[in-house]
Coordinates of all heavy atoms in Angstrom, one line a residue:
M230 N 0.8 -1.2 0.0 CA 0.0 0.0 0.0 C 0.9 1.3 0.0 O 1.9 1.3 0.7 CB -0.9 0.0 1.2 CG -2.0 1.0 1.2 SD -3.2 0.6 2.5 CE -2.8 2.0 3.6
I231 N 0.5 2.3 -0.8 CA 1.3 3.5 -0.9 C 1.0 4.4 0.3 O -0.2 4.6 0.7 CB 0.9 4.3 -2.2 CG1 1.3 3.5 -3.4 CG2 1.7 5.6 -2.2 CD1 0.8 4.0 -4.7
K232 N 2.1 4.8 1.0 CA 1.9 5.7 2.2 C 1.7 7.1 1.7 O 2.6 7.7 1.0 CB 3.1 5.6 3.1 CG 3.0 6.3 4.4 CD 4.2 6.1 5.3 CE 4.2 6.9 6.5 NZ 4.5 8.3 6.2
T233 N 0.7 7.8 2.1 CA 0.4 9.2 1.8 C 1.0 10.1 2.9 O 0.8 9.9 4.0 CB -1.1 9.5 1.7 OG1 -1.7 8.5 0.9 CG2 -1.4 10.8 1.1
P234 N 1.9 11.1 2.5 CA 2.5 11.9 3.5 C 1.4 12.7 4.2 O 0.4 13.1 3.6 CB 3.4 12.9 2.7 CG 3.3 12.5 1.2 CD 2.3 11.4 1.1
S235 N 1.6 13.0 5.5 CA 0.6 13.8 6.2 C 0.7 15.2 5.8 O 1.7 15.7 5.3 CB 0.8 13.6 7.7 OG 1.9 14.4 8.1
L236 N -0.4 16.0 5.9 CA -0.4 17.4 5.6 C 0.6 18.1 6.4 O 1.3 19.1 6.0 CB -1.8 18.0 5.9 CG -2.9 17.8 4.8 CD1 -4.2 18.4 5.3 CD2 -2.4 18.4 3.5
R237 N 0.8 17.7 7.7 CA 1.8 18.3 8.5 C 3.2 18.4 7.9 O 3.9 19.3 8.1 CB 1.8 17.6 9.9 CG 2.5 18.4 11.0 CD 2.2 17.7 12.3 NE 0.9 17.7 12.8 CZ 0.4 18.7 13.5 NH1 1.1 19.7 13.8 NH2 -0.9 18.7 13.9
E238 N 3.5 17.4 7.2 CA 4.9 17.3 6.5 C 5.1 18.4 5.5 O 6.2 18.7 5.1 CB 5.1 16.0 5.9 CG 5.3 14.8 6.9 CD 5.3 13.5 6.2 OE1 6.1 13.4 5.2 OE2 4.6 12.6 6.7
H239 N 4.0 19.0 5.0 CA 4.1 20.0 4.0 C 4.1 21.4 4.5 O 4.2 22.4 3.8 CB 2.9 19.9 3.0 CG 3.0 18.6 2.2 ND1 3.9 18.4 1.2 CD2 2.2 17.5 2.3 CE1 3.7 17.1 0.7 NE2 2.7 16.6 1.4
I240 N 3.9 21.6 5.8 CA 3.8 22.9 6.4 C 5.3 23.5 6.5 O 6.1 22.8 7.1 CB 3.2 22.9 7.8 CG1 1.7 22.5 7.7 CG2 3.3 24.3 8.5 CD1 1.0 22.2 9.0
P241 N 5.6 24.6 5.9 CA 6.9 25.2 6.0 C 7.3 25.5 7.4 O 6.5 25.9 8.2 CB 6.8 26.5 5.2 CG 5.5 26.4 4.4 CD 4.6 25.5 5.1
K242 N 8.5 25.2 7.7 CA 9.0 25.4 9.1 C 9.8 26.6 9.3 O 9.9 27.2 10.3 CB 9.8 24.1 9.6 CG 8.9 22.9 9.7 CD 9.7 21.7 10.1 CE 8.8 20.4 10.1 NZ 8.2 20.2 8.7
T243 N 10.5 27.0 8.2 CA 11.3 28.3 8.2 C 10.9 29.1 7.0 O 10.3 28.7 6.1 CB 12.8 27.9 8.2 OG1 13.1 27.4 6.9 CG2 13.2 26.9 9.2
F244 N 11.4 30.4 7.1 CA 11.2 31.3 5.9 C 11.7 30.7 4.6 O 11.1 30.8 3.6 CB 11.9 32.6 6.3 CG 11.6 33.8 5.4 CD1 10.4 34.5 5.5 CD2 12.4 34.2 4.4 CE1 10.1 35.6 4.7 CE2 12.1 35.2 3.6 CZ 11.0 35.9 3.7
A245 N 12.8 30.0 4.7 CA 13.5 29.4 3.6 C 12.7 28.3 2.9 O 12.9 28.0 1.8 CB 14.9 28.9 3.9
D246 N 11.8 27.7 3.7 CA 11.0 26.6 3.2 C 9.9 27.1 2.2 O 9.2 26.3 1.5 CB 10.3 25.8 4.3 CG 11.3 25.0 5.1 OD1 12.4 24.8 4.6 OD2 11.0 24.8 6.3
I247 N 9.5 28.4 2.3 CA 8.5 29.0 1.5 C 9.0 29.3 0.1 O 10.1 29.8 0.0 CB 7.9 30.3 2.2 CG1 7.4 29.9 3.6 CG2 6.8 30.9 1.3 CD1 7.1 31.1 4.4
P248 N 8.2 28.9 -0.9 CA 8.7 29.2 -2.3 C 9.0 30.7 -2.5 O 8.5 31.5 -1.9 CB 7.5 28.7 -3.2 CG 6.7 27.8 -2.3 CD 6.9 28.3 -0.9
E249 N 9.9 30.9 -3.5 CA 10.3 32.3 -3.7 C 9.1 33.2 -4.1 O 9.0 34.3 -3.8 CB 11.3 32.4 -4.9 CG 12.7 31.9 -4.5 CD 13.3 32.7 -3.3 OE1 13.2 33.9 -3.4 OE2 13.8 32.1 -2.4
T250 N 8.2 32.6 -4.9 CA 7.0 33.4 -5.3 C 5.8 32.5 -5.3 O 5.9 31.2 -5.2 CB 7.1 33.9 -6.8 OG1 6.9 32.9 -7.7 CG2 8.4 34.6 -7.0
T251 N 4.6 33.1 -5.4 CA 3.4 32.2 -5.4 C 3.0 31.9 -6.8 O 2.0 31.3 -7.1 CB 2.2 33.0 -4.7 OG1 2.1 34.3 -5.3 CG2 2.5 33.2 -3.3
A252 N 3.8 32.4 -7.8 CA 3.4 32.2 -9.2 C 4.7 31.8 -10.0 O 5.8 31.7 -9.4 CB 2.9 33.4 -9.8
Y253 N 4.6 31.5 -11.2 CA 5.7 31.1 -12.0 C 6.6 32.4 -12.2 O 6.1 33.5 -12.0 CB 5.3 30.7 -13.4 CG 4.6 29.4 -13.5 CD1 3.2 29.2 -13.5 CD2 5.4 28.2 -13.4 CE1 2.6 28.0 -13.5 CE2 4.8 27.0 -13.4 CZ 3.4 26.9 -13.5 OH 2.8 25.6 -13.5
E254 N 7.9 32.2 -12.5 CA 8.8 33.3 -12.6 C 8.3 34.2 -13.8 O 7.7 33.7 -14.7 CB 10.2 32.8 -13.0 CG 10.9 32.1 -11.9 CD 12.3 31.7 -12.3 OE1 12.9 32.3 -13.3 OE2 12.7 30.7 -11.8
A255 N 8.6 35.5 -13.6 CA 8.2 36.4 -14.7 C 8.8 35.9 -16.0 O 9.9 35.4 -16.0 CB 8.7 37.8 -14.3
G256 N 8.1 36.1 -17.0 CA 8.6 35.5 -18.3 C 7.7 34.4 -18.7 O 7.6 34.1 -19.9
Y257 N 7.0 33.8 -17.8 CA 6.1 32.7 -18.2 C 4.9 33.3 -18.9 O 4.4 32.8 -19.9 CB 5.6 32.0 -16.9 CG 4.8 30.7 -17.2 CD1 5.4 29.6 -17.5 CD2 3.4 30.8 -17.1 CE1 4.7 28.4 -17.8 CE2 2.7 29.6 -17.4 CZ 3.3 28.4 -17.7 OH 2.6 27.3 -18.0
L258 N 4.4 34.5 -18.4 CA 3.4 35.2 -19.2 C 4.1 36.0 -20.2 O 5.1 36.6 -19.9 CB 2.6 36.2 -18.2 CG 1.7 35.5 -17.2 CD1 1.2 36.6 -16.2 CD2 0.6 34.8 -17.8
V259 N 3.7 36.0 -21.4 CA 4.4 36.6 -22.5 C 4.1 38.1 -22.7 O 4.9 38.8 -23.3 CB 4.2 35.8 -23.8 CG1 4.9 34.5 -23.8 CG2 2.8 35.7 -24.2
T260 N 3.0 38.6 -22.2 CA 2.7 39.9 -22.4 C 2.6 40.7 -21.1 O 1.8 40.3 -20.2 CB 1.3 40.0 -23.1 OG1 1.3 39.2 -24.3 CG2 1.0 41.5 -23.5
K261 N 3.3 41.8 -21.0 CA 3.2 42.6 -19.8 C 1.7 43.2 -19.8 O 1.2 43.6 -20.8 CB 4.1 43.8 -19.8 CG 5.6 43.3 -19.8 CD 6.5 44.5 -19.8 CE 8.0 44.1 -19.9 NZ 8.9 45.2 -19.9
N262 N 1.1 43.2 -18.6 CA -0.3 43.5 -18.6 C -0.6 44.5 -17.5 O -1.7 44.5 -16.9 CB -1.2 42.3 -18.4 CG -0.9 41.6 -17.1 OD1 -0.1 42.0 -16.3 ND2 -1.6 40.5 -16.9
A263 N 0.3 45.5 -17.2 CA 0.0 46.5 -16.2 C 0.0 47.9 -16.7 O 0.1 48.8 -15.9 CB 1.1 46.3 -15.1
G264 N -0.1 48.0 -18.0 CA 0.0 49.4 -18.6 C -1.2 50.3 -18.2 O -1.1 51.5 -18.3
W265 N -2.3 49.7 -17.8 CA -3.5 50.5 -17.4 C -3.5 50.9 -15.9 O -4.4 51.5 -15.5 CB -4.7 49.7 -17.8 CG -4.7 48.3 -17.4 CD1 -4.3 47.3 -18.3 CD2 -5.0 47.7 -16.2 NE1 -4.3 46.1 -17.6 CE2 -4.8 46.3 -16.3 CE3 -5.5 48.2 -15.0 CZ2 -5.0 45.4 -15.2 CZ3 -5.6 47.3 -13.9 CH2 -5.4 46.0 -14.1
R266 N -2.6 50.4 -15.2 CA -2.5 50.7 -13.7 C -2.4 52.2 -13.5 O -1.6 52.8 -14.1 CB -1.4 49.9 -13.1 CG -1.2 50.0 -11.6 CD 0.0 49.3 -11.1 NE 1.2 49.8 -11.8 CZ 2.2 49.1 -12.2 NH1 2.2 47.8 -12.1 NH2 3.2 49.7 -12.8
N267 N -3.2 52.8 -12.6 CA -3.0 54.2 -12.3 C -2.4 54.5 -10.9 O -2.0 55.6 -10.6 CB -4.3 55.0 -12.5 CG -5.4 54.4 -11.6 OD1 -5.2 53.7 -10.7 ND2 -6.7 54.8 -12.0
V268 N -2.3 53.5 -10.0 CA -1.5 53.6 -8.8 C -0.7 52.4 -8.6 O -1.0 51.3 -9.1 CB -2.4 53.8 -7.5 CG1 -3.0 55.2 -7.5 CG2 -3.5 52.7 -7.5
R269 N 0.5 52.5 -8.0 CA 1.4 51.4 -7.8 C 1.7 51.3 -6.3 O 1.9 52.3 -5.6 CB 2.6 51.5 -8.6 CG 3.5 52.6 -8.3 CD 4.9 52.4 -8.9 NE 4.9 52.2 -10.3 CZ 5.9 51.7 -11.0 NH1 7.1 51.4 -10.4 NH2 5.9 51.6 -12.3
P270 N 1.9 50.1 -5.8 CA 2.3 49.9 -4.4 C 3.8 50.1 -4.3 O 4.6 49.6 -5.2 CB 1.9 48.4 -4.1 CG 1.9 47.8 -5.4 CD 1.6 48.8 -6.5
V271 N 4.3 50.8 -3.3 CA 5.7 51.0 -3.1 C 6.1 50.5 -1.7 O 5.4 50.9 -0.7 CB 6.1 52.4 -3.3 CG1 7.6 52.6 -3.0 CG2 5.8 52.9 -4.7
I272 N 7.1 49.6 -1.6 CA 7.4 49.0 -0.3 C 8.5 49.9 0.4 O 9.5 50.2 -0.2 CB 7.9 47.6 -0.5 CG1 6.8 46.7 -1.0 CG2 8.4 47.0 0.8 CD1 7.2 45.4 -1.5
D273 N 8.3 50.2 1.7 CA 9.3 50.8 2.5 C 10.0 49.7 3.2 O 9.5 49.1 4.1 CB 8.6 51.7 3.5 CG 9.6 52.4 4.4 OD1 10.7 52.0 4.6 OD2 9.2 53.5 5.0
K274 N 11.2 49.4 2.7 CA 12.0 48.2 3.1 C 12.4 48.4 4.6 O 12.6 47.4 5.3 CB 13.3 48.1 2.3 CG 13.0 47.8 0.8 CD 13.1 46.3 0.6 CE 12.8 46.0 -0.9 NZ 12.9 44.6 -1.3
D275 N 12.4 49.6 5.1 CA 12.8 49.8 6.5 C 11.7 49.4 7.4 O 11.9 48.9 8.6 CB 13.2 51.3 6.8 CG 14.5 51.7 6.1 OD1 15.3 50.8 6.0 OD2 14.6 52.9 5.8
K276 N 10.4 49.6 7.0 CA 9.3 49.2 7.8 C 8.9 47.7 7.6 O 8.2 47.1 8.5 CB 8.0 50.0 7.4 CG 8.1 51.5 7.9 CD 6.7 52.1 7.6 CE 6.7 53.6 8.0 NZ 5.4 54.2 7.5
C277 N 9.2 47.1 6.5 CA 8.8 45.7 6.2 C 9.5 44.8 7.1 O 10.7 44.8 7.4 CB 9.3 45.4 4.7 SG 9.0 43.7 4.3
I278 N 8.6 43.9 7.7 CA 9.2 42.9 8.7 C 9.2 41.5 8.1 O 9.4 40.5 8.7 CB 8.3 42.9 10.0 CG1 6.8 42.6 9.7 CG2 8.4 44.2 10.7 CD1 6.0 42.3 10.9
G279 N 8.9 41.4 6.8 CA 9.0 40.1 6.1 C 7.9 39.1 6.5 O 8.1 37.9 6.4
C280 N 6.7 39.6 6.9 CA 5.7 38.7 7.4 C 5.0 37.9 6.2 O 4.3 36.9 6.5 CB 4.6 39.5 8.2 SG 3.7 40.6 7.2
L281 N 5.2 38.4 5.0 CA 4.7 37.7 3.8 C 3.1 37.7 3.6 O 2.6 37.0 2.8 CB 5.1 36.2 3.7 CG 6.6 36.0 3.5 CD1 7.0 34.6 3.4 CD2 7.2 36.8 2.4
Q282 N 2.4 38.6 4.4 CA 1.0 38.7 4.2 C 0.7 39.2 2.8 O -0.3 38.8 2.2 CB 0.4 39.6 5.3 CG 0.4 38.9 6.7 CD -0.3 37.6 6.7 OE1 -1.5 37.5 6.5 NE2 0.5 36.5 7.0
C283 N 1.4 40.2 2.4 CA 1.2 40.8 1.0 C 1.4 39.7 0.0 O 0.6 39.5 -1.0 CB 2.1 42.0 0.8 SG 3.8 41.6 1.0
Y284 N 2.4 38.9 0.1 CA 2.8 37.8 -0.8 C 1.7 36.8 -0.9 O 1.3 36.3 -1.9 CB 4.1 37.3 -0.2 CG 4.5 35.9 -0.6 CD1 5.5 35.7 -1.6 CD2 4.0 34.7 0.0 CE1 5.9 34.4 -1.9 CE2 4.4 33.5 -0.3 CZ 5.4 33.3 -1.3 OH 5.8 32.0 -1.6
L285 N 1.1 36.5 0.3 CA 0.1 35.5 0.3 C -1.3 35.9 -0.3 O -2.0 35.2 -0.9 CB -0.2 35.0 1.8 CG 1.0 34.2 2.4 CD1 0.7 34.0 3.9 CD2 1.1 32.9 1.7
Y286 N -1.6 37.2 -0.1 CA -2.9 37.7 -0.5 C -2.9 38.4 -1.9 O -4.0 38.7 -2.4 CB -3.4 38.6 0.5 CG -4.0 37.9 1.7 CD1 -3.2 37.7 2.9 CD2 -5.3 37.4 1.7 CE1 -3.7 36.9 3.9 CE2 -5.8 36.7 2.7 CZ -5.0 36.5 3.9 OH -5.5 35.7 4.9
C287 N -1.7 38.7 -2.5 CA -1.7 39.3 -3.8 C -2.5 38.4 -4.8 O -2.0 37.3 -5.0 CB -0.3 39.6 -4.3 SG -0.3 40.1 -6.0
P288 N -3.6 38.9 -5.4 CA -4.3 38.0 -6.3 C -3.6 37.7 -7.6 O -4.0 36.8 -8.3 CB -5.6 38.8 -6.5 CG -5.2 40.2 -6.3 CD -4.2 40.2 -5.3
E289 N -2.6 38.5 -7.9 CA -1.8 38.3 -9.2 C -0.6 37.4 -8.9 O 0.1 37.0 -9.9 CB -1.4 39.6 -9.8 CG -2.6 40.5 -10.1 CD -3.6 39.8 -11.0 OE1 -3.2 39.3 -12.1 OE2 -4.8 39.9 -10.7
G290 N -0.2 37.2 -7.7 CA 1.0 36.4 -7.5 C 2.3 37.1 -8.0 O 3.2 36.4 -8.4
V291 N 2.3 38.4 -7.8 CA 3.5 39.1 -8.4 C 4.4 39.7 -7.3 O 5.3 40.5 -7.6 CB 3.0 40.3 -9.3 CG1 2.2 39.8 -10.4 CG2 2.2 41.3 -8.5
I292 N 4.2 39.2 -6.0 CA 5.1 39.6 -5.0 C 6.0 38.4 -4.7 O 5.5 37.3 -4.5 CB 4.3 40.0 -3.7 CG1 3.5 41.3 -4.0 CG2 5.3 40.4 -2.6 CD1 2.6 41.8 -2.9
A293 N 7.3 38.7 -4.6 CA 8.3 37.6 -4.4 C 9.1 37.9 -3.2 O 9.3 39.1 -2.8 CB 9.2 37.5 -5.6
K294 N 9.7 36.8 -2.6 CA 10.6 37.0 -1.5 C 11.9 37.6 -2.0 O 12.3 37.4 -3.1 CB 10.9 35.6 -0.9 CG 9.7 35.0 -0.1 CD 9.9 33.6 0.2 CE 11.2 33.2 0.9 NZ 11.4 31.8 1.0
D295 N 12.5 38.5 -1.1 CA 13.7 39.2 -1.5 C 14.6 39.4 -0.3 O 14.4 40.5 0.4 CB 13.3 40.5 -2.2 CG 14.5 41.2 -2.8 OD1 15.5 40.6 -3.1 OD2 14.4 42.5 -2.8
G296 N 15.4 38.5 0.0 CA 16.3 38.6 1.1 C 15.7 38.9 2.5 O 16.1 39.8 3.2
G297 N 14.6 38.2 2.8 CA 13.9 38.4 4.1 C 12.9 39.5 4.0 O 12.1 39.7 5.0
K298 N 12.8 40.2 2.9 CA 11.7 41.2 2.6 C 11.0 40.7 1.4 O 11.0 39.5 1.1 CB 12.3 42.6 2.4 CG 13.4 42.9 3.5 CD 12.8 43.8 4.6 CE 13.8 44.0 5.7 NZ 13.5 45.2 6.5
V299 N 10.3 41.6 0.7 CA 9.6 41.3 -0.5 C 9.8 42.3 -1.6 O 10.2 43.4 -1.4 CB 8.1 41.2 -0.3 CG1 7.7 40.0 0.6 CG2 7.5 42.4 0.3
K300 N 9.6 41.9 -2.9 CA 9.6 42.8 -4.0 C 8.5 42.6 -4.9 O 7.9 41.5 -4.9 CB 11.0 42.7 -4.7 CG 11.1 41.3 -5.4 CD 12.5 41.2 -6.1 CE 12.7 39.8 -6.6 NZ 14.0 39.6 -7.2
I301 N 8.1 43.6 -5.7 CA 6.9 43.5 -6.6 C 7.4 43.5 -8.1 O 8.2 44.3 -8.5 CB 6.0 44.7 -6.3 CG1 5.5 44.6 -4.9 CG2 4.9 44.8 -7.3 CD1 4.8 45.9 -4.4
D302 N 6.7 42.6 -8.8 CA 7.0 42.6 -10.3 C 6.0 43.6 -10.9 O 4.8 43.3 -11.1 CB 6.8 41.2 -10.8 CG 7.1 41.1 -12.3 OD1 7.2 42.2 -13.0 OD2 7.3 40.0 -12.8
Y303 N 6.4 44.8 -11.2 CA 5.5 45.8 -11.7 C 5.1 45.6 -13.1 O 4.1 46.2 -13.6 CB 6.2 47.2 -11.7 CG 6.4 47.7 -10.2 CD1 7.6 47.8 -9.7 CD2 5.3 48.1 -9.5 CE1 7.8 48.3 -8.4 CE2 5.4 48.5 -8.2 CZ 6.7 48.6 -7.6 OH 6.8 49.1 -6.3
D304 N 5.7 44.6 -13.8 CA 5.2 44.3 -15.2 C 3.8 43.7 -15.1 O 3.1 43.7 -16.1 CB 6.1 43.3 -15.9 CG 7.4 44.0 -16.3 OD1 7.5 45.2 -16.3 OD2 8.4 43.3 -16.7
F305 N 3.4 43.1 -14.0 CA 2.2 42.3 -13.9 C 1.3 42.8 -12.7 O 0.2 42.3 -12.6 CB 2.4 40.8 -13.8 CG 3.2 40.3 -15.0 CD1 4.5 40.1 -15.0 CD2 2.5 40.2 -16.2 CE1 5.2 39.7 -16.1 CE2 3.2 39.7 -17.4 CZ 4.5 39.5 -17.3
C306 N 1.8 43.7 -11.9 CA 0.9 44.2 -10.8 C -0.2 45.1 -11.3 O 0.1 45.9 -12.2 CB 1.8 45.1 -9.8 SG 0.9 46.2 -8.7
K307 N -1.4 44.9 -10.9 CA -2.5 45.7 -11.4 C -2.9 46.8 -10.6 O -3.9 47.6 -10.9 CB -3.7 44.8 -11.7 CG -4.3 44.2 -10.4 CD -5.5 43.2 -10.8 CE -6.1 42.6 -9.5 NZ -7.0 41.5 -9.8
G308 N -2.2 47.0 -9.4 CA -2.5 48.2 -8.6 C -3.7 48.2 -7.8 O -4.3 49.2 -7.4
C309 N -4.2 47.0 -7.4 CA -5.4 46.8 -6.7 C -5.4 47.3 -5.2 O -6.4 47.6 -4.6 CB -5.9 45.4 -6.7 SG -4.8 44.2 -5.8
G310 N -4.2 47.3 -4.6 CA -4.0 47.8 -3.3 C -4.3 46.7 -2.2 O -4.2 47.1 -1.0
I311 N -4.6 45.5 -2.5 CA -4.8 44.5 -1.5 C -3.6 44.3 -0.6 O -3.7 44.1 0.6 CB -5.3 43.1 -2.2 CG1 -6.7 43.3 -2.8 CG2 -5.2 42.0 -1.2 CD1 -7.2 42.2 -3.6
C312 N -2.4 44.3 -1.3 CA -1.2 44.2 -0.5 C -1.1 45.3 0.6 O -0.7 45.0 1.7 CB 0.1 44.2 -1.4 SG 0.1 45.6 -2.5
K313 N -1.4 46.5 0.2 CA -1.4 47.6 1.2 C -2.4 47.3 2.4 O -2.0 47.5 3.5 CB -1.7 48.9 0.6 CG -1.8 50.0 1.5 CD -2.1 51.3 0.9 CE -2.4 52.4 1.9 NZ -1.4 52.5 3.0
K314 N -3.6 46.8 2.0 CA -4.6 46.5 3.0 C -4.1 45.4 4.0 O -4.4 45.5 5.2 CB -5.9 46.0 2.4 CG -6.6 47.0 1.7 CD -7.7 47.6 2.6 CE -8.5 48.6 1.8 NZ -9.3 49.6 2.6
M315 N -3.3 44.5 3.5 CA -2.9 43.3 4.3 C -1.6 43.6 5.2 O -1.3 42.9 6.0 CB -2.6 42.1 3.4 CG -3.8 41.6 2.7 SD -5.3 41.4 3.7 CE -4.8 40.2 4.9
C316 N -1.0 44.7 4.9 CA 0.3 45.0 5.5 C 0.1 45.7 6.9 O -0.1 46.9 6.9 CB 1.2 45.9 4.6 SG 2.8 46.2 5.3
K317 N 0.2 45.0 7.9 CA -0.1 45.6 9.3 C 1.0 46.6 9.7 O 0.6 47.6 10.3 CB -0.1 44.4 10.3 CG -1.4 43.6 10.2 CD -1.9 43.1 11.5 CE -3.2 42.5 11.4 NZ -3.3 41.3 10.6
P318 N 2.3 46.5 9.3 CA 3.3 47.5 9.7 C 3.2 48.8 8.8 O 4.0 49.7 9.0 CB 4.6 46.8 9.5 CG 4.3 45.3 9.4 CD 2.9 45.2 8.9
D319 N 2.2 48.8 7.9 CA 2.0 49.9 7.0 C 3.3 50.2 6.2 O 3.7 51.4 6.1 CB 1.6 51.2 7.9 CG 0.9 52.2 7.0 OD1 0.4 51.9 5.9 OD2 0.9 53.4 7.4
A320 N 3.9 49.2 5.7 CA 5.1 49.3 4.9 C 4.9 49.5 3.4 O 5.8 49.6 2.7 CB 6.0 48.1 5.1
I321 N 3.6 49.5 3.0 CA 3.3 49.7 1.6 C 2.4 51.0 1.4 O 1.4 51.1 2.1 CB 2.5 48.5 1.0 CG1 3.4 47.2 1.2 CG2 2.2 48.7 -0.4 CD1 2.7 45.9 0.7
R322 N 2.8 51.8 0.5 CA 2.0 53.0 0.2 C 1.7 52.9 -1.3 O 2.4 52.3 -2.1 CB 2.7 54.3 0.5 CG 4.0 54.5 -0.3 CD 4.7 55.8 0.1 NE 5.8 56.1 -0.8 CZ 7.0 55.5 -0.6 NH1 7.2 54.7 0.3 NH2 8.0 55.8 -1.5
M323 N 0.5 53.5 -1.7 CA 0.2 53.5 -3.1 C 0.5 54.9 -3.7 O 0.2 55.9 -3.1 CB -1.4 53.3 -3.2 CG -1.8 52.0 -2.6 SD -1.0 50.5 -3.3 CE -1.8 50.3 -4.9
E324 N 1.2 54.9 -4.8 CA 1.7 56.1 -5.4 C 1.0 56.2 -6.8 O 0.9 55.2 -7.5 CB 3.2 56.2 -5.6 CG 3.9 56.4 -4.3 CD 5.4 56.7 -4.5 OE1 5.9 56.5 -5.6 OE2 6.1 56.9 -3.5
A325 N 0.7 57.4 -7.2 CA 0.1 57.7 -8.5 C 1.2 57.3 -9.6 O 2.4 57.6 -9.4 CB -0.3 59.1 -8.7
E326 N 0.7 56.6 -10.7 CA 1.6 56.3 -11.8 C 1.9 57.6 -12.5 O 1.0 58.5 -12.7 CB 0.9 55.3 -12.7 CG 1.0 53.9 -12.3 CD 2.4 53.3 -12.3 OE1 3.3 53.9 -12.9 OE2 2.5 52.2 -11.8
K327 N 3.1 57.7 -13.0 CA 3.4 58.9 -13.9 C 3.6 58.4 -15.3 O 4.7 58.0 -15.7 CB 4.7 59.5 -13.4 CG 4.6 60.1 -12.0 CD 5.9 60.7 -11.5 CE 5.8 61.1 -10.0 NZ 5.9 60.0 -9.1
H328 N 2.5 58.3 -16.0 CA 2.5 57.8 -17.4 C 3.1 58.8 -18.4 O 3.0 60.0 -18.2 CB 1.1 57.4 -17.9 CG 0.5 56.3 -17.1 ND1 1.0 55.0 -17.2 CD2 -0.5 56.2 -16.2 CE1 0.4 54.2 -16.4 NE2 -0.6 54.9 -15.8
Ligands
SF4_612 S1 -1.4 46.1 -5.9 FE1 -2.5 44.2 -6.1 S2 -1.6 43.2 -7.8 FE2 -0.1 44.7 -7.2 S3 1.3 43.7 -5.8 FE3 -0.4 44.6 -4.5 S4 -1.9 43.0 -4.3 FE4 -0.6 42.4 -6.0
SF4_613 S1 2.8 42.6 4.4 FE1 4.1 44.5 4.7 S2 5.6 43.9 6.3 FE2 4.7 42.0 5.5 S3 6.1 41.3 3.9 FE3 4.5 42.5 2.9 S4 5.4 44.6 2.9 FE4 6.6 43.4 4.4

């Protein structure tokens, strides 16, 4: 009989166990699709505590781990602001796009 691993075995135990991003690497989508965005999230790296809430809740999967903090792929961010809402330390601000 095949032994099925328990769910507990899949729970990350350290920051390093969590995948770099929640989506495929940039380049998998062939067309940049953020040209219509009118505000963009900007991360204050000094305030960021690396809790990954923005990473987990971004509906586009465009936030990636970056040396204990996070970074945003602006080629695919749609500017919805969910990451800002989820950031308890208030490390994300929304800035107007300068087209
Ligand atoms: S603004 Fe929306 S799409 Fe862009 S990084 Fe934040 S949650 Fe993701
Ligand atoms: S939610 Fe805020 S503090 Fe947490 S990783 Fe994202 S930017 Fe950093």
